[in-house]
Amino acid sequence: MKWESLYSQAKQWVNEAGERIRQSFNQRLSIQTKSNANDLVTNIDKETEQFFIKKIKEAYPHHKIMGEEGFGDKLDSLKGIVWMIDPIDGTMNFIHQQRNFAISIGVYEDGVGKIGLVYDVVHDELYHAFSGKGAYLNETPIANLSETAVNKSIIALNATWVMKNHRIDHNLLIPLVRDARGTRSYGSAALEMVFVATGRVDAYISMRLSPWDYAAGAVIIEELGGVVTNLRGEKLDYLTQDSLFVAKPGLHQTILQEYLKDGKW
């Protein structure tokens, strides 16, 4: 497997897909709901996923694909090479704001992350990493993550997830919110993860996400020395939904032990 060639090709496809999305901004969207009234999907989400599937199947017919919109393969294992695709992460932002969304693609081999690509379409910012070769914002290397304290940290946390999930005692997170320097919420897991990677925020917490939401960001963050787990401190299995907790080194352990240990996540 020529990973360098795949890496280059994947970046090219992401840029092409981003241009297609930008050209759609003046079009009338076809908007549908999925699991609930706020779980939205557009014709552009579907068309973008199909664009990637066509490219991948033509170039790499034996690779498997996990896609948010359901056009990929039905997987019960991560054996072999698997592409995990979220064609538009942050669809609600895409519909309402035409910003704060991203294309997210992770490429894994036997469950191990090899390539991560997160493309902020509006700002033309491609965050990408090839395992063992560093992480980049466009062509500029991203510095490795350094440790920081909770009281100097900005935590990305969507309070809506906490309040709507009645199994979660949101009071457990109040001390963390109180002790942190600040909190933010951007509405796109992929962007919030690369904001951790670049130090714009120091940690990101979400109650329930799917593998295509975090597969790309995980490769980028781990390449820079950050830590990616669920809220129980366990490794993600990339086949099921789970909570997500990503943070700078040191900070991850501190928050896990001092703020999250008593939660039934």
Side-chain angles (χ1 to χ4, degrees):
M1 181 66 209
K2 295 182 179 180
W3 282 102
E4 291 82 359
S5 175
L6 186 153
Y7 184 37
S8 177
Q9 202 158 41
K11 287 188 287 185
Q12 179 183 335
W13 292 341
V14 166
N15 280 301
E16 288 178 22
E19 180 58 30
R20 291 163 62 101
I21 291 172
R22 284 189 292 269
Q23 290 177 0
S24 79
F25 282 171
N26 294 323
Q27 300 176 14
R28 182 182 296 276
L29 295 174
S30 171
I31 304 171
Q32 298 174 305
T33 59
K34 295 192 287 187
S35 63
N36 61 68
N38 295 321
D39 185 8
L40 306 176
V41 62
T42 73
N43 58 304
I44 305 302
D45 294 74
K46 295 177 181 180
E47 290 168 12
T48 302
E49 183 167 307
Q50 290 170 326
F51 166 83
F52 283 117
I53 289 174
K54 183 176 185 292
K55 294 289 190 181
I56 295 164
K57 290 299 186 183
E58 287 177 351
Y60 307 104
H62 300 299
H63 291 190
K64 291 177 283 188
I65 301 168
M66 180 191 298
E68 179 178 14
E69 308 312 334
F71 298 108
D73 303 304
K74 302 298 182 184
L75 303 181
D76 56 12
S77 83
L78 295 178
K79 185 175 176 58
I81 297 176
V82 179
W83 297 64
M84 303 184 198
I85 301 172
D86 193 339
I88 297 180
D89 183 66
T91 298
M92 187 180 294
N93 292 345
F94 171 65
I95 293 169
H96 286 271
Q97 304 171 350
Q98 289 192 342
R99 65 192 67 241
N100 297 321
F101 67 89
I103 298 171
S104 179
I105 295 181
V107 187
Y108 282 60
E109 183 178 36
D110 297 329
V112 178
K114 299 296 244 180
I115 291 170
L117 305 164
V118 174
Y119 185 39
D120 182 338
V121 173
V122 173
H123 294 103
D124 191 25
E125 292 181 337
L126 177 59
Y127 304 80
H128 56 101
F130 180 14
S131 182
K133 303 294 185 181
Y136 296 81
L137 170 50
N138 292 332
E139 300 308 315
T140 303
I142 302 172
N144 285 344
L145 293 169
S146 57
E147 297 188 14
T148 191
V150 172
N151 64 358
K152 295 181 179 179
S153 299
I154 295 177
I155 312 295
L157 171 69
N158 188 336
T160 305
W161 280 103
V162 180
M163 299 303 293
K164 286 185 176 180
N165 191 331
H166 300 298
R167 296 174 298 169
I168 302 297
D169 182 359
H170 66 276
N171 291 298
L172 293 171
L173 292 172
I174 290 175
L176 176 60
V177 172
R178 180 196 62 214
D179 293 347
R181 177 166 282 174
T183 59
R184 298 291 185 271
S185 180
Y186 299 95
S188 165
L191 285 181
E192 291 177 284
M193 291 182 79
V194 295
F195 290 170
V196 174
T198 54
R200 295 173 185 171
V201 299
D202 301 287
Y204 171 52
I205 292 173
S206 187
M207 299 302 146
R208 189 177 73 251
L209 292 172
S210 296
W212 47 76
D213 294 312
Y214 48 72
V219 176
I220 296 169
I221 288 172
E222 290 179 342
E223 184 67 14
L224 298 168
V227 185
V228 180
T229 68
N230 59 26
L231 286 168
R232 301 179 298 281
E234 303 163 345
K235 288 186 176 180
L236 304 169
D237 71 8
Y238 296 97
L239 280 174
T240 59
Q241 287 188 334
D242 207 342
S243 58
L244 179 68
F245 174 37
V246 301
K248 290 180 173 179
L251 181 65
H252 187 281
Q253 182 178 12
T254 298
I255 292 176
L256 191 65
Q257 293 180 348
E258 297 184 10
Y259 297 93
L260 302 181
K261 65 179 180 180
D262 294 326
K264 300 187 184 303
W265 312 110

